[in-house]
Amino acid sequence: MIWWLKKVLLPWVSCKAHPIFFVWLIIMPAVGLQAQTEEEIFDSQAKLAYQELFRLKLPHASSLIEQNTPINEPVWAYLKHLNLTLNVLITENEKLTDLLYDEHKNLLKIVTNLPSDNPWRGFFENEMKIQLAFVKLKRGESFSGGNQLRSAYSGLKKNQASFPQFWPHYKSFGILQILLSTVPDQFQWILKLLGMDASAEEGLRNLKDKAINSELFRDESETMYSLIQIFLLEEYEVGETALRKKYEQDKENVLLAYLLSTSYLRNNEGAKAEKVLNEVKPTFKFTFLEYQRANIQLQKGNYSQAETLFLKFLTEREGDNYLKDSWYKLYLTALLSGNQAKATQYLARAKSEGTVNVEPDKNAERELEEGDINVILKKSRLATDGGFYDIALQTLANSQASDFPSKKDKIEKQYRLARIYDLTGEDEKALSLYKEVISQTNGETWYFAPNSALMAGNILKIKKQFQAAKAMYEKALSYKSHAYKNSIDTKAKAGLASIH
């Protein structure tokens, strides 16, 4: 069981669920704040504190909470817990983490002073458990974090049954169902054993159907559903359009700026992400934004600027997440700019420092283990990841055959070209190159062929060549061992399901 928590649940939290959960922490109290019993529980100051938390105006929110110390009311206990959780997730400060752990039981006790027949008691209690669970899981405390999450899920399910007309439970329970459904199929039986049914369809119904019942909840639920579309359903355009509209209406909302820039970066839109990051003005030390800015400069090939920003992030950050990846990216800035002396120094730091709890650090560790880097291919890949396709294509166009000495290099060049053409809408060129990558791969465990089959299947599905698409999806599933098997297999299965 501990193995499952470490190998399955923790990677799920750090990679797939994290952007969605980050906003869920804030949106869920918003949903509750608008329920019928609002006036009985929330005064104007509590509402203002929530609004500031929703916009990540953390210093002002902290000030409002401090003014209501000592905490006696359940709503202020919940808001204090939420505020501590957000600060811990953003800063990873050890003292704040210790404070959250110390305060959790005390604040939970205040919430449970509400009568057992008051649905807010169960709602606040279980949301606070979820908040603590994700902090623990992000820190690698798999067993205790998993227990907190299981307890919260069970509590929400029970409370929903007891108070079927209490809308917040449907929202929080539905979102948790959606997130749990992303756990790989081979581990779903463990969720069922723990009493945690993972139904994406039911979760989406709970989220959407209940959200439209009240206009009061609509704005918050739309933000959450946009994130579901972007990060889980891969309906990027629809989700991003809705999220961008909300950001345009409130550009001082740091949370929306963070979510939108993260969405852009996920969808190979580095230039758009850079614009948002240049506009956002946080009122606290949000060092992760420097990390995002640094990655964009690396993708653009501005190695000196990227180095400065990564070093700034490393100087100002607290905690160990993104540490290994930042040193690895610093190694790349030196290597790709031809500074071998610095590259050697940064490489040593990347190998020796940091943890592998979050996906970027895991990717850095994987690439460090792979060893030698082809500079041309790495430059092209980085530019493609950022959506700087002219740079990516020109990098490959200026190369010579001698720049790709190994079979792996030759196949990867074809794959990189295919990705560029695919992402720029030149489907026929992309499809031809994807097929070349597949045909030239003979038993190697590189991910280029499996992902080429998946991407080719997507193109053929759009062209309504369903039998050919099915063959490609099945081809993607046939590869037995490669770095991204779980992710590619999940997408290939989804592709097959969509054409049956």
Side-chain angles (χ1 to χ4, degrees), residues 112-170:
T112 55
N113 284 335
L114 285 169
S116 59
D117 61 352
N118 187 329
W120 287 106
R121 171 176 170 165
F123 178 74
F124 284 152
E125 179 182 0
N126 291 301
E127 289 295 311
M128 289 163 71
K129 288 180 180 179
I130 292 170
Q131 292 166 18
L132 186 65
F134 275 81
V135 169
K136 285 178 174 288
L137 289 169
K138 188 181 179 187
R139 289 168 55 83
E141 299 172 29
S142 305
F143 187 75
S144 59
N147 277 337
Q148 286 282 336
L149 194 65
R150 181 165 62 92
S151 176
Y153 186 92
S154 175
L156 285 170
K157 190 173 184 179
K158 180 180 177 181
N159 222 27
Q160 179 181 318
S162 299
F163 307 101
Q165 297 302 313
F166 189 65
W167 304 120
H169 291 305
Y170 287 97

Side-chain angles (χ1 to χ4, degrees), residues 442-453:
N442 300 301
E444 294 88 356
T445 58
W446 310 319
Y447 71 90
F448 311 128
N451 206 48
S452 291

Side-chain angles (χ1 to χ4, degrees), residues 324 327-328 345-354 365 368-369 371:
K324 182 174 291 291
W327 283 116
Y328 174 68
Q345 295 173 11
Y346 289 144
L347 179 60
R349 300 292 293 272
K351 289 181 176 179
S352 64
E353 298 193 25
E365 181 80 356
L368 286 167
E369 291 173 353

Side-chain angles (χ1 to χ4, degrees), residues 1-11 140 142-143 362:
M1 190 65 67
I2 295 176
W3 173 89
W4 177 77
L5 289 167
K6 288 183 177 179
K7 299 296 184 181
V8 181
L9 193 57
L10 179 58
S142 305
F143 187 75
K362 292 176 184 178

